[in-house]
């Protein structure tokens, strides 16, 4: 029988690989949990949220110099201050909608059928966007117009539907609004920091009574694995998407969603 530690390693790898790719980490984790027979246990649902902080820490490490300079300059440099405000503006819609409707969304939409359909539809949208004749005019994720940051923030809210993909929604929105592919991807990374830290803090507080010493050990394993995996994936993803676009990830979504629907139809 598979131990919780091995499950934590596998789920940590899935989280690290999928968090910043436009393929939906939440969707993949929900499907993996069903495959492992973890059901709707509240601990494993919380585990999926809590280990996301490991992937977010990877972004902080990779962009530490840039983030540190922005933090130091936001009180004296107007451009740095404007970017911080832009990230907060983009984060605001998810914070408000998540606080008001998070419980309802988890109750009604967190099921594998929704995940599979969302993966397929999202894959089709990615294929469409990747084939458009883009004429980008925004090449620096730290210098988007403020209304563009807000629009990306609203688009990110679609990812509250499992299988949509937070990074996918924000990247597609940024590209449709004129961002170059690499800049769109980088801003999705930056926006992930407050979004996922907020989700982590909320879930940890809500489920603090369930966090036994055994649970903390399992979470620590998933956290470390997702951190290491995410560092490798982010560095590879940026160079790949700049050269090749998002077609690979679109077909990844369609294939996983289709296989998931077949498995569900067969009662697996």
């Amino acid at each position: 029988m598979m131990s919780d530690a091995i499950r934590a390693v596998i789920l940590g790898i899935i989280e690290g690989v999928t968090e910043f790719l436009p393929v939906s980490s939440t969707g993949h984790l929900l499907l993996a949990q069903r495959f492992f027979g973890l059901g709707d246990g509240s601990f494993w649902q919380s585990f999926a949220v809590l280990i996301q902080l490991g992937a977010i820490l990877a972004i902080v490490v990779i962009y530490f110099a840039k983030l540190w300079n922005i933090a130091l300059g936001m009180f004296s440099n107007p451009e740095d201050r404007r970017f911080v405000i832009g990230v907060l503006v983009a984060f605001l819609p998810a914070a408000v909608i998540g606080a008001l409707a998070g419980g309802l969304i988890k109750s009604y939409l967190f099921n594998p059928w929704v995940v599979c359909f969302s993966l397929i539809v999202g894959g089709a949208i990615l294929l469409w966007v990747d084939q458009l004749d883009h004429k980008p005019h925004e090449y620096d994720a730290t210098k988007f117009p403020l209304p563009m940051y807000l629009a990306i923030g609203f688009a990110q809210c679609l990812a509250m539907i499992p299988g949509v993909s937070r990074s996918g929604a924000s990247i597609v929105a940024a590209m449709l609004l004129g961002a170059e592919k690499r800049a769109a991807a980088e801003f999705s990374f930056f926006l992930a920091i407050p979004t996922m830290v907020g989700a982590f803090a909320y879930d940890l507080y809500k489920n603090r009574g369930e966090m036994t010493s055994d649970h903390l050990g399992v979470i620590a394993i998933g956290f470390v694995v997702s951190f290491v995996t995410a560092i490798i994936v982010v560095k590879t993803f940026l160079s790949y998407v700049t050269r090749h676009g998002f077609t690979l990830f679109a077909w990844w979504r369609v294939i996983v969603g289709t296989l998931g629907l077949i498995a569900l139809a067969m009662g697996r």
Side-chain angles (χ1 to χ4, degrees):
M1 194 167 201
M2 187 180 295
S3 69
D4 284 349
I6 295 175
R7 290 192 186 99
V9 170
I10 295 172
L11 293 175
I13 292 172
I14 292 172
E15 165 60 26
V17 169
T18 60
E19 178 61 45
F20 300 108
L21 302 183
V23 297
S24 179
S25 61
T26 301
H28 280 72
L29 286 169
L30 281 172
L31 293 178
Q33 287 169 354
R34 182 182 177 90
F35 177 80
F36 289 142
L38 300 178
D40 297 322
S42 58
F43 166 70
W44 288 104
Q45 284 189 356
S46 295
F47 174 89
V49 175
L50 297 175
I51 64 170
Q52 289 175 334
L53 192 64
I56 297 306
L57 183 59
I59 290 296
V60 174
V61 169
I62 291 170
Y63 288 98
F64 181 78
K66 176 178 272 191
L67 293 171
W68 181 250
N69 288 333
I70 289 171
L72 291 177
M74 67 179 177
F75 297 108
S76 58
N77 186 323
E79 288 191 356
D80 290 338
R81 183 163 55 249
R82 183 179 167 283
F83 174 62
V84 172
I85 292 171
V87 172
L88 293 176
V89 164
F91 165 66
L92 189 60
V96 173
I97 295 175
L100 294 177
L104 288 173
I105 291 169
K106 282 193 173 183
S107 297
Y108 292 100
L109 297 181
F110 271 54
N111 72 73
W113 289 96
V114 172
V115 169
C116 292
F117 281 115
S118 297
L119 285 170
I120 294 170
V121 172
I125 292 173
L126 263 185
L127 282 173
W128 169 67
V129 170
D130 214 33
Q131 299 304 313
L132 293 177
D133 182 20
H134 289 285
K135 293 181 174 58
H137 49 81
E138 300 292 342
Y139 294 89
D140 187 338
T142 66
K143 296 180 180 178
F144 292 169
L146 287 178
M148 183 171 171
Y149 286 130
L150 181 61
I152 295 170
F154 276 111
Q156 181 185 233
C157 294
L158 293 172
M160 292 179 185
I161 303 170
V164 169
S165 171
R166 185 205 56 78
S167 62
S170 56
I171 288 171
V172 166
M175 288 176 62
L176 292 176
L177 291 167
E180 180 264 340
K181 290 176 182 177
R182 185 184 183 93
E186 283 195 325
F187 184 69
S188 80
F189 299 162
F190 296 138
L191 181 55
I193 296 173
T195 303
M196 301 318 304
V197 167
F200 172 89
Y202 175 76
D203 214 275
L204 183 63
Y205 174 77
K206 187 176 65 172
N207 297 288
R208 62 194 183 281
E210 298 179 14
M211 296 300 140
T212 66
S213 56
D214 289 341
H215 284 168
L216 291 176
V218 172
I219 291 169
I221 293 171
F223 180 96
V224 172
V225 172
S226 70
F227 168 72
V228 174
T229 309
I231 284 183
I232 298 169
V233 169
V234 168
K235 291 186 173 181
T236 306
F237 173 63
L238 275 177
S239 58
Y240 178 88
V241 78
T242 302
R243 296 194 307 270
H244 304 290
F246 299 100
T247 300
L248 171 65
F249 308 107
W251 283 113
W252 174 344
R253 294 176 62 101
V254 171
I255 290 169
V256 171
T258 302
L259 291 176
L261 287 177
I262 292 171
L264 289 170
M266 295 173 63
R268 298 297 178 90

